[in-house]
Amino acid sequence: MAIDEKAVAALADRTLGPEHKGLPPAAWGRTVREYLDTAPHLDEFETPVLTVDRAAVAANVAVMADWAAAAGVRLAPHGKTTMAPQLWAQQLAAGSWGITFATVWQVQVARSFGVGRIVLANALVDPVGLRWVAEELARDPEFEFVCWVDSVESVALMDEHLSGDVRIRVIVELGGPHGRTGARTVEQGHAIAEAVGKSEGLTLAGVGGYEGALAHDRTPDGISGVRHYLDEIARLHRELAATGRYPDRAIVTAGGSAYPDLVVECLSGLADEQGAQGVPTTVVLRSGAYIIHDDGFYAGISPLAAPRSERPLRSAMHGWARTVSRPEAELALLDAGKRDLPFDEGLPVPQFVAGPEGSLNPGAHVSALNDQHAYLRLPGGAPTDLPVGSVVRLGLSHPCTAFDKWRLIPVIDDADAERPRIVDLVHTFF
């Protein structure tokens, strides 16, 4: 579906300033376009800085687009991962069916850039947000929108704030034991669908959920739990279709970035967009982290990461931090901390020293982060190792909590180059 290409292109006309962390003062007062015309390099930026690797992003987008197409499922990547319209545009251009979001505010940002098909993978019970969505649907008949409901009470609450002039399409969310949101049983799912059918402001659009809340690894127990949950989603869809609950077509959706292979295994057989076997059904995968991937959590669990895939995803994000203190032979303090880099799914991992200033021994690791400092441990290190001023490239884990710390992220041509060149600047909206 469409995105407003002019609105995305207009981001290059925004003026740069000190509010953009890491950007050198030489860029202030210039537009993005004007600054890029100076052919800047990464070593001209202040540290700390987060970068995106252009080639890795392009490769990741292509890998996932081809993988989803081969599996027979649609892709509506989670836009909250980056909150970057420039990257959404790349995903849509590669064939994504739509974009997923987690809050109505994120949906509003997306609409300001003309995103035409949106999945809100969450309940929408905020009165102001509900009325805005209804007004947006009335204003633009081509806008396609679906959101979650996971209780009869939610259906009633939504109905209270909708006039009935425009119906909002909703997906019954099925959850799992000790999971997050979602009805806990298929039977509860039927009750919700029945309530939606009686509603004056809602229309049943399908079933879905999020399997990533039920496991955090690829142990046999974790895989078994995810498979069982996805089978229950499939069961609920089949039963709703058999009882005539769907007014027209249906969506079946699941999928974070940890278990997309299991989603395909359990749900892709439901795909029937022409309705040859009954209700026309679109199976939608919502994985979002793949576009950036990482050197931590997703590298360890994604089925599309090396060495589990012949065409693996690559980490497209790196942190760059400078040594500001060497108070002990086995300790270096870097100028990047919790305000700059993700840490909820693993601490940054030192990869190499930029330039000839120093080297890292094999045991080097980050043991802790403060707000603005990283504790880089250097077991067996000497005081002359990693001198003050040297810059370390850091591998990172979890793109969802990396991008939210930066309003503007430099895109480099090659993170492995001796002197990476800045080829773009990505705006985020958090």
Side-chain angles (χ1 to χ4, degrees):
M1 287 293 287
I3 191 169
D4 187 339
E5 295 179 1
K6 289 184 178 179
V8 175
L11 292 171
D13 298 318
R14 290 196 167 197
T15 301
L16 303 172
E19 67 271 22
H20 297 119
K21 183 169 58 173
L23 217 65
W28 300 351
R30 297 182 179 185
T31 65
V32 170
R33 196 186 318 276
E34 290 168 343
Y35 179 59
L36 293 176
D37 285 344
T38 68
H41 288 77
L42 182 60
D43 58 13
E44 298 168 27
F45 273 55
E46 299 171 353
T47 54
V49 66
L50 177 77
T51 61
V52 168
D53 186 307
R54 177 176 62 179
V57 166
N60 292 346
V61 169
V63 164
M64 183 56 98
D66 292 347
W67 187 85
V73 301
R74 300 289 187 169
L75 186 61
H78 216 316
K80 74 171 174 60
T81 299
T82 64
M83 285 305 293
Q86 292 154 275
L87 298 181
W88 304 338
Q90 232 176 308
Q91 293 169 303
L92 289 166
S96 287
W97 177 85
I99 303 289
T100 298
F101 295 96
T103 71
V104 70
W105 169 77
Q106 292 171 358
V107 173
Q108 291 164 345
V109 172
R111 286 300 290 162
S112 74
F113 285 92
V115 177
R117 182 184 282 134
I118 290 174
V119 177
L120 174 58
N122 210 341
L124 178 56
V125 293
D126 174 77
V128 176
L130 269 170
R131 288 193 290 269
W132 176 85
V133 168
E135 291 167 1
E136 189 71 0
L137 288 166
R139 184 189 68 80
D140 182 0
E142 295 187 0
F143 175 38
E144 296 184 32
F145 174 86
V146 294
C147 66
W148 275 196
V149 285
D150 74 347
S151 69
V152 172
E153 291 78 11
S154 295
V155 172
L157 186 59
M158 292 178 76
D159 247 5
E160 284 182 25
H161 299 288
L162 295 172
S163 65
D165 296 335
V166 175
R167 286 180 174 264
I168 292 179
R169 299 175 69 227
V170 295
I171 286 175
V172 174
E173 182 192 4
L174 190 65
H178 313 297
R180 201 164 64 186
T181 53
R184 289 308 196 243
T185 67
V186 168
E187 290 69 30
Q188 289 173 351
H190 278 286
I192 297 164
E194 182 179 358
V196 171
K198 296 176 181 178
S199 163
E200 295 184 359
L202 308 178
T203 298
L204 184 64
V207 299
Y210 174 56
E211 74 289 345
L214 303 179
H216 211 64
D217 53 41
R218 283 190 170 266
T219 61
D221 285 347
I223 295 296
S224 176
V226 169
R227 279 202 181 104
H228 174 72
Y229 167 67
L230 293 169
D231 286 342
E232 289 292 273
I233 288 179
R235 174 190 160 198
L236 177 57
H237 165 70
R238 290 191 181 101
E239 292 179 359
L240 291 176
T243 53
R245 290 290 185 193
Y246 295 121
D248 44 31
R249 62 196 190 280
I251 295 168
V252 178
T253 178
S257 295
Y259 306 105
D261 54 329
L262 301 184
V263 173
V264 165
E265 174 188 319
C266 298
L267 301 182
S268 64
L270 301 174
D272 181 19
E273 296 193 357
Q274 302 306 313
Q277 301 174 32
V279 177
T281 301
T282 300
V283 176
V284 179
L285 182 67
R286 304 190 314 276
S287 307
Y290 74 88
I291 187 171
I292 302 299
H293 197 51
D294 69 7
D295 284 309
F297 175 71
Y298 288 111
I301 199 170
S302 170
L304 299 178
R308 291 178 291 277
S309 172
E310 294 182 358
R311 190 184 173 196
L313 299 173
R314 296 156 48 189
S315 180
M317 66 175 180
H318 298 92
W320 305 77
R322 195 176 306 272
T323 305
V324 293
S325 178
R326 289 288 278 107
E328 302 169 13
E330 296 186 343
L331 174 64
L333 276 299
L334 308 180
D335 62 356
K338 294 178 181 178
R339 302 284 180 89
D340 313 299
L341 304 175
F343 57 92
D344 60 315
E345 292 284 3
L347 292 170
V349 176
Q351 295 180 326
F352 63 76
V353 179
E357 291 87 355
S359 61
L360 289 173
N361 63 39
H365 65 279
V366 173
S367 63
L369 296 179
N370 292 156
D371 284 355
Q372 309 290 178
H373 291 92
Y375 291 74
L376 180 58
R377 302 294 174 177
L378 304 166
T384 54
D385 295 342
L386 204 64
V388 170
S390 53
V391 175
V392 178
R393 192 184 87 176
L394 300 164
L396 306 175
S397 179
H398 201 196
C400 297
T401 53
F403 272 54
D404 65 341
K405 296 169 175 59
W406 298 84
R407 296 181 182 180
L408 195 71
I409 302 173
V411 179
I412 53 180
D413 58 346
D414 183 358
D416 295 324
E418 183 175 342
R419 193 178 181 224
R421 184 168 56 90
I422 307 297
V423 294
D424 202 358
L425 296 170
V426 168
H427 294 264
T428 69
F429 293 80
F430 283 98

